[in-house]
Amino acid sequence: MKTMMLADFLALAKSLPKNVALWAPLATGQCLAAGNATPIILLTSFPMSHMVLMPMLLRDQRRDWVAFRQALPLSRSDVVACRYASFAVVVAGCVALGVAAYTTACIVNAVVPGLPLVRHFAVGFDAAGVVSFAAGTFALTIAMFSVLLPFMFADSHRKLASYIPFAFMLALMGWIYIFRSMNFDAFLPLVGRIVVAAQSLGGALVVGGCVTAAALALYVVSERAAVRGYATRDL
């Protein structure tokens, strides 16, 4: 199993320079536009996960991924579990990059105050916001791959499944608009209370832990579905 995960990471390492070259201007642009605001974590990490992992999924057939897996002494269940574990590690790494981008923006704003595009967002390091957005970004990305991966393993509706990340991006944009304009106290008081609780570090840790646990539970259910789909696939 370690060999299979290592093969995934080696494949990602080959495209690492290109991904960094794409991510760096993305993160810089977000920092210039939003200053040191915690949504930077979401707006840099989620696209980065997509840029890193989706090409690997779509290139599997060209790299004869199935044949390589069959050459290893692993069951189909082990193959699915290793791929899911690899994806979870990469997603966590992309979220860490988002946190690093936010932290860097805070440092730059402190060292060079009054930058034209960021002076309206000159706030200090928001630990509670970091926890909330890191957990939310991880959960959202894991949920996206929870929906996508079973289709890929079953080799069913692959072209349709490739649009799932874009659907999540559109839903994310809609959620941001709703989040900024909706009066939660009037429409969704429970959500309003959760948002208020997450504004403190202790509350953010609790809410973030619950959100992460829910996303990982969905990921486990997705992995079981992928195992069933992969078991029926003619290799």
Side-chain angles (χ1 to χ4, degrees):
M1 293 179 69
K2 291 181 179 179
T3 302
M4 198 184 88
M5 292 182 67
L6 180 61
D8 283 340
F9 294 138
L10 288 175
L12 290 174
K14 292 181 180 179
S15 60
L16 183 62
K18 180 183 70 176
N19 289 324
V20 171
L22 290 172
W23 179 81
L26 171 67
T28 302
Q30 294 291 349
C31 291
L32 289 175
N36 50 330
T38 46
I40 288 174
I41 298 171
L42 174 62
L43 296 175
T44 57
S45 301
F46 187 80
M48 183 62 175
S49 298
H50 177 269
M51 289 190 299
V52 171
L53 295 174
M54 282 303 297
M56 185 175 73
L57 280 176
L58 298 177
R59 289 196 304 263
D60 276 349
Q61 187 173 1
R62 188 180 66 187
R63 294 203 316 262
D64 207 10
W65 180 82
V66 171
F68 173 74
R69 270 31 178 203
Q70 287 179 308
L72 297 174
L74 298 173
S75 66
R76 294 196 184 194
S77 178
D78 291 334
V79 169
V80 175
C82 287
R83 175 50 65 91
Y84 268 71
S86 298
F87 271 48
V89 170
V90 172
V91 170
C94 290
V95 173
L97 282 176
V99 174
Y102 168 74
T103 304
T104 302
C106 289
I107 295 172
V108 170
N109 191 69
V111 174
V112 189
L115 291 175
L117 291 178
V118 304
R119 62 175 180 268
H120 298 297
F121 302 92
V123 295
F125 185 85
D126 183 4
V130 168
V131 172
S132 297
F133 272 93
T137 302
F138 180 81
L140 178 67
T141 312
I142 285 293
M144 181 191 74
F145 285 113
S146 295
V147 176
L148 175 66
L149 287 174
F151 290 103
M152 293 298 186
F153 274 104
D155 199 26
S156 173
H157 306 291
R158 290 178 67 96
K159 290 184 178 180
L160 179 62
S162 64
Y163 291 101
I164 289 176
F166 297 103
F168 268 78
M169 283 294 294
L170 291 175
L172 174 61
M173 295 300 103
W175 175 81
I176 291 175
Y177 175 79
I178 293 172
F179 185 85
R180 295 183 63 181
S181 60
M182 177 177 286
N183 183 354
F184 288 107
D185 292 333
F187 295 98
L188 297 169
L190 177 60
V191 176
R193 287 195 291 270
I194 293 174
V195 171
V196 171
Q199 292 177 0
S200 66
L201 181 57
L205 289 171
V206 172
V207 173
C210 292
V211 170
T212 302
L216 290 176
L218 175 63
Y219 204 53
V220 171
V221 172
S222 171
E223 190 264 347
R224 291 292 91 196
V227 168
R228 290 190 177 185
Y230 197 45
T232 61
R233 182 175 171 181
D234 185 9
L235 301 178

